Amino acid sequence: AGVIASAAFAQTYPTRSITMVVPFAAGGPTDTVARLVAESMSKDLGQQIIVENVGGAGGTLGAGRVANADADGYTVLLHHIGMATSATLYRKLPYDTLNAFEYVGLVTDVPMTVVARKDLDVKDFKGLVEYAKANSDKVTVANAGIGAASHLCGMLFMSAIETPLVTVPYKGTGPAMTDLLGGQVDIMCDQTTNTTKQIQGGTIKAYAVTSPERLAIFKDIPTVAEEGMPAMQVGIWHGIYTPKGTPAEANERLSKALQVALKDPNIASRFAELGTLPSPETDGTPAALKAKLESEIARWEPVIKAAGQYAD
Ligand code: MLT
């Protein structure tokens, strides 16, 4: 009966719209990646993917929502490197990182930019380091909560300059960007999917990128390695997950739709415009995502333990 049921399921799935939970506020980088791939995946699946933003606690609330959702193939999570770092950062999570999810596939890898409000009187990265050290009791660093990519990068920065600064958490770097544009917060380390337009528009300042090489869209912005801080090099990879127990036929069908989306020229050109270049490993397969999550938990655990003293 099981075989017949799963064959019937595979024949018909999906029969209704799918919810894609984004664990950060709307308008931020994760939301941008989600809406891009969801639009293309919907076409391949023949069903609407509806993005639902569930912010809070650096992405762990949204991840917990999906971990505890029905494992029927109609709720998926799109999350990033925070799935790995939160495993070390949180003593207690609303889910068991390596046992609460099934894997659909890796989506893309997004570089980060060290940016500041446009009237910060600092002209380059070295100047930013000096300014931060000299004003550590008042320089504010925006992030999207413990477990966010902006939190990780901010931590790497404060650890590299050996100076804790004043961190200001938001439900996502979408809302954080509003305050950066308004000058209510001083600096942020955020993904190019959220900062490219503002940097190109001159409404914020950019001092460095966290990619290994300079970005094609920002040839004049140095890498953190060029600025003597290779430890700040980080790429924000994204993955799609389903609750543990979701039928394999659903995960496979979703992974196929993701792989079609990643080959969609519109997605590829939009990602390139936003500074993200899917690396060869983001081939959209479940195995690649599983391997990435496990290796990234191991990679960041010692780094977070060493740098954790600088970021609350
Ligand atoms: C967002 O979508 O708001 C960001 O991914 C938050 C972060 O991780 O810094």
Side-chain angles (χ1 to χ4, degrees):
V3 171
I4 295 168
S6 63
F9 180 89
Q11 284 303 318
T12 57
Y13 174 82
T15 57
R16 56 187 164 83
S17 63
I18 294 166
T19 298
M20 177 180 278
V21 171
V22 167
F24 294 101
T30 313
D31 194 51
T32 299
V33 170
R35 289 177 195 277
L36 263 176
V37 290
E39 189 188 337
S40 184
M41 288 176 71
S42 294
K43 286 192 202 105
D44 187 70
L45 290 164
Q47 291 292 346
Q48 190 65 22
I49 293 185
I50 298 161
V51 171
E52 184 182 338
N53 300 88
V54 179
T60 57
L61 291 191
R65 167 82 71 86
V66 174
N68 297 303
D70 291 344
D72 58 8
Y74 291 96
T75 303
V76 306
L77 169 70
L78 188 139
H79 197 0
H80 59 35
I81 193 171
M83 184 72 107
T85 58
S86 298
T88 300
L89 287 161
Y90 284 82
R91 261 186 315 284
K92 182 115 190 58
L93 284 169
Y95 55 87
D96 174 347
T97 304
L98 290 175
N99 295 300
F101 300 98
E102 308 286 357
Y103 302 97
V104 170
L106 273 162
V107 180
T108 188
D109 206 338
V110 186
M112 302 193 92
T113 48
V114 180
V115 295
R117 58 183 168 80
K118 73 176 183 315
D119 50 7
L120 190 74
D121 188 13
V122 166
K123 65 177 177 31
D124 57 21
F125 191 81
K126 272 178 191 41
L128 181 68
V129 171
E130 282 151 24
Y131 178 82
K133 284 182 165 182
N135 301 280
S136 61
D137 56 339
K138 66 181 179 59
V139 171
T140 49
V141 187
N143 68 34
I146 296 173
S150 47
H151 168 267
L152 174 65
C153 189
M155 181 199 289
L156 296 175
F157 177 66
M158 291 186 276
S159 171
I161 67 173
E162 295 178 321
T163 310
L165 303 171
V166 181
T167 53
V168 182
Y170 295 78
K171 283 200 182 304
T173 49
M177 180 60 82
T178 305
D179 275 7
L180 193 70
L181 292 168
Q184 277 79 35
V185 71
D186 295 322
I187 63 175
M188 175 158 73
C189 188
D190 193 16
Q191 300 162 70
T192 53
T193 31
N194 198 34
T195 59
T196 295
K197 193 159 55 71
Q198 309 300 349
I199 295 169
Q200 290 170 337
T203 49
I204 56 175
K205 280 178 175 168
Y207 296 107
V209 294
T210 67
S211 40
E213 306 297 327
R214 292 195 181 200
L215 298 175
I217 57 167
F218 293 131
K219 286 200 174 15
D220 57 345
I221 303 178
T223 65
V224 286
E226 285 177 80
E227 294 297 334
M229 293 195 178
M232 284 190 67
Q233 210 164 288
V234 60
I236 309 307
W237 52 275
H238 293 65
I240 296 179
Y241 306 82
T242 55
K244 192 77 176 174
T246 298
E249 293 81 5
N251 298 321
E252 284 151 18
R253 182 66 190 86
L254 290 165
S255 181
K256 179 185 164 298
L258 172 60
Q259 291 175 49
V260 169
L262 293 176
K263 293 187 181 75
D264 179 339
N266 300 327
I267 302 272
S269 62
R270 192 79 191 97
F271 273 160
E273 279 165 20
L274 291 171
T276 86
L277 296 171
S279 53
E281 65 186 343
T282 52
D283 59 3
T285 61
L289 175 56
K290 182 175 191 300
K292 186 74 173 177
L293 177 59
E294 289 167 351
S295 64
E296 287 280 283
I297 290 173
R299 171 188 174 195
W300 290 105
E301 184 181 5
V303 176
I304 290 167
K305 290 218 161 77
Q309 59 186 300
Y310 293 103
D312 46 25

